Amino acid sequence: MNTFIFKDKEIASLGLEKEIKRRVSEKIEKGVYNPEEIGNVSKRKLDILLDLEIEDSFRRFHYLYGNWDITKEFQITSHRPFIGPFIVVAKRLIRFLVKSYTKSIFKNQAGFNRDLILLNKEILKELKGLRKDVEALKGK
């Protein structure tokens, strides 16, 4: 089953989807949501970061936006039945030792990455506005 972690709680994505659909249906019945509005929203291209016209630029920006924090830790596991737990302990020990030396470097790099992403976001917004202006001038 597909799951994701939210505030240290594992949530089943299929159950969440059913719950969302149930709550939307209730609100439609109560008149809170208009089915026509829901149709219009579902037809729109959902883009929480930027409404970029260049799909490749959006794809690259979205990848960078999701991966700027290099300090995130990943779970260490092993599929080996007998020696697996020892491998996990060894990897955790190595991570701890290496992290003590690299923590400040990675923290600085993550901050630099975040600032570059925010700068790129502003540049892409400006570029989009300039493209609209150029298209408007071409149309005159």
Side-chain angles (χ1 to χ4, degrees):
M1 179 183 288
N2 292 336
T3 60
F4 61 95
I5 305 298
F6 180 73
K7 293 187 179 182
D8 298 330
K9 293 181 182 177
E10 191 172 299
I11 300 173
S13 60
L14 294 177
L16 183 63
E17 182 180 353
K18 288 178 185 176
E19 177 65 16
I20 291 170
K21 286 180 179 180
R22 183 189 65 75
R23 291 178 71 183
V24 168
S25 296
E26 284 179 0
K27 290 187 179 192
I28 289 173
E29 289 173 8
K30 291 179 182 177
V32 176
Y33 292 161
N34 180 343
E36 185 179 323
E37 289 178 41
I38 293 174
N40 291 339
V41 169
S42 66
K43 289 177 186 173
R44 290 177 55 194
K45 178 182 173 186
L46 298 179
D47 179 358
I48 61 170
L49 302 174
L50 290 173
D51 185 21
L52 296 175
E53 295 164 355
I54 303 171
E55 197 63 34
D56 190 49
S57 294
F58 171 73
R59 183 182 54 76
R60 288 180 183 170
F61 181 78
H62 186 61
Y63 173 79
L64 293 172
Y65 188 83
N67 294 296
W68 65 266
D69 189 2
I70 60 174
T71 62
K72 289 182 187 177
E73 290 189 2
F74 55 90
Q75 186 177 7
I76 297 175
T77 61
S78 176
H79 66 281
R80 293 174 183 84
F82 298 110
I83 197 167
F86 298 107
I87 292 172
V88 170
V89 169
K91 286 183 176 182
R92 286 183 180 162
L93 178 62
I94 291 169
R95 176 193 280 173
F96 175 76
L97 293 173
V98 171
K99 188 177 176 182
S100 64
Y101 290 105
T102 60
K103 184 178 181 178
S104 64
I105 296 168
F106 283 171
K107 187 176 180 181
N108 290 340
Q109 184 64 51
F112 179 76
N113 292 350
R114 184 197 64 240
D115 292 344
L116 283 179
I117 292 298
L118 295 175
L119 178 63
N120 281 334
K121 182 178 179 181
E122 294 303 315
I123 290 170
L124 289 171
K125 281 182 180 179
E126 183 68 22
L127 179 62
K128 182 181 176 189
L130 290 172
R131 285 186 177 156
K132 284 182 180 179
D133 292 345
V134 168
E135 290 300 317
L137 290 172
K138 283 182 181 178
K140 289 184 178 182

